[in-house]
Amino acid sequence: SQKIEQNSEALNIQEGKTATLTCNYTNYSPAYLQWYRQDPGRGPVFLLLIRENEKEKRKERLKVTFDTTLKQSLFHITASQPADSATYLCALDPAGGSYIPTFGRGTSLIVHP
Amino acid sequence: DTAVSQTPKYLVTQMGNDKSIKCEQNLGHDTMYWYKQDSKKFLKIMFSYNNKELIINETVPNRFSPKSPDKAHLNLHINSLELGDSAVYFCASSPGTGEHEQYFGPGTRLTVT
């Protein structure tokens, strides 16, 4: 069956360091992969989308990589700040244009001052 | 301006009752969704509507009935509420035409006692 795996344990890092979050998937051939941020008590907020033919995407301090051979995406936040503390969700879109992403459970990131 | 809004924010009710959650988006998007996020934080698609037409209806009990009076609104009606329906329900919208990112509402926390 299709599976999306994100680290269930929280990632704790010091302010200023680079945070790297992992999204692995199995039995899936996504055409697109998205990353969202979710704060407690709020809805997810879209951050970045990367297509299957793209290796890397950047937006300000954020960088996403997508390796369809490894079936993995890495999400990096450089120069992390306490305000980056949140849960980060990856979501996979299948090919075929259904526009219905399947979400991972998310990884909690805690940036310590 | 609020992009995707939901009411109410909190809903506490007893088993067996019928309740509705309303959703409105002012983004001009064609596609709207309902998601359920359970206590384990999994975000699962329930329904998808495109231009007022039901596109996706995942394995959801027929006690749940979405209604889309126009493409800016997608309401969720739940009959005969059960304890297991307790969760946070998110409405979302997306442009739907080649653009995959989703814009989520703030969520409605439903507690069934």
Side-chain angles (χ1 to χ4, degrees), chain A residues 4 31-32 34 36 38 41-46 49 51 87 89 93-94 97-106, chain B residues 9 31 33 35 37 40-43 45 48 55-56 58 90 94 96-107:
Chain A
I4 302 170
Y32 306 88
Q34 304 181 51
Y36 289 78
Q38 187 172 22
R42 298 192 168 216
V45 174
F46 171 76
L49 178 149
R51 292 173 168 75
T87 296
L89 309 169
D93 280 344
S98 72
Y99 308 136
I100 308 292
T102 300
F103 283 83
R105 190 174 292 182
Chain B
K9 176 100 173 129
T31 308
Y33 312 82
Y35 286 87
Q37 190 170 44
K40 294 183 180 177
K41 303 300 182 187
F42 255 126
L43 199 61
I45 184 74
S48 168
I55 302 299
I56 296 286
E58 292 295 314
F90 287 102
S94 70
T97 47
E99 303 296 328
H100 295 242
E101 64 268 25
Q102 307 222 333
Y103 295 80
F104 284 82

Side-chain angles (χ1 to χ4, degrees), chain B residues 32-66:
Chain B
M32 294 184 73
Y33 312 82
W34 276 109
Y35 286 87
K36 178 180 180 181
Q37 190 170 44
D38 59 24
S39 56
K40 294 183 180 177
K41 303 300 182 187
F42 255 126
L43 199 61
K44 284 195 67 176
I45 184 74
M46 299 174 68
F47 300 102
S48 168
Y49 265 75
N50 184 268
N51 272 321
K52 301 195 307 175
E53 284 190 34
L54 181 65
I55 302 299
I56 296 286
N57 179 354
E58 292 295 314
T59 313
V60 175
N62 58 14
R63 298 182 293 104
F64 290 79
S65 52

Side-chain angles (χ1 to χ4, degrees), chain A residues 6-79:
Chain A
Q6 295 186 256
N7 282 348
S8 56
E9 288 183 15
L11 176 64
N12 285 272
I13 64 167
Q14 285 300 122
E15 183 175 9
K17 300 291 186 186
T18 296
T20 299
L21 305 173
T22 306
C23 176
N24 294 305
Y25 58 92
T26 54
N27 297 325
Y28 218 120
S29 296
Y32 306 88
L33 190 145
Q34 304 181 51
W35 283 89
Y36 289 78
R37 169 184 174 141
Q38 187 172 22
D39 291 282
R42 298 192 168 216
V45 174
F46 171 76
L47 296 174
L48 279 168
L49 178 149
I50 187 166
R51 292 173 168 75
E52 61 179 336
N53 59 353
E54 297 176 316
K55 295 291 184 192
E56 184 178 298
K57 203 81 169 277
R58 290 177 188 257
K59 179 182 172 184
E60 297 171 353
R61 294 184 296 113
L62 308 180
K63 183 176 90 170
V64 170
T65 63
F66 192 9
D67 189 326
T68 54
T69 303
L70 289 179
K71 296 187 182 294
Q72 181 182 78
S73 174
L74 299 179
F75 177 79
H76 306 273
I77 306 176
T78 56

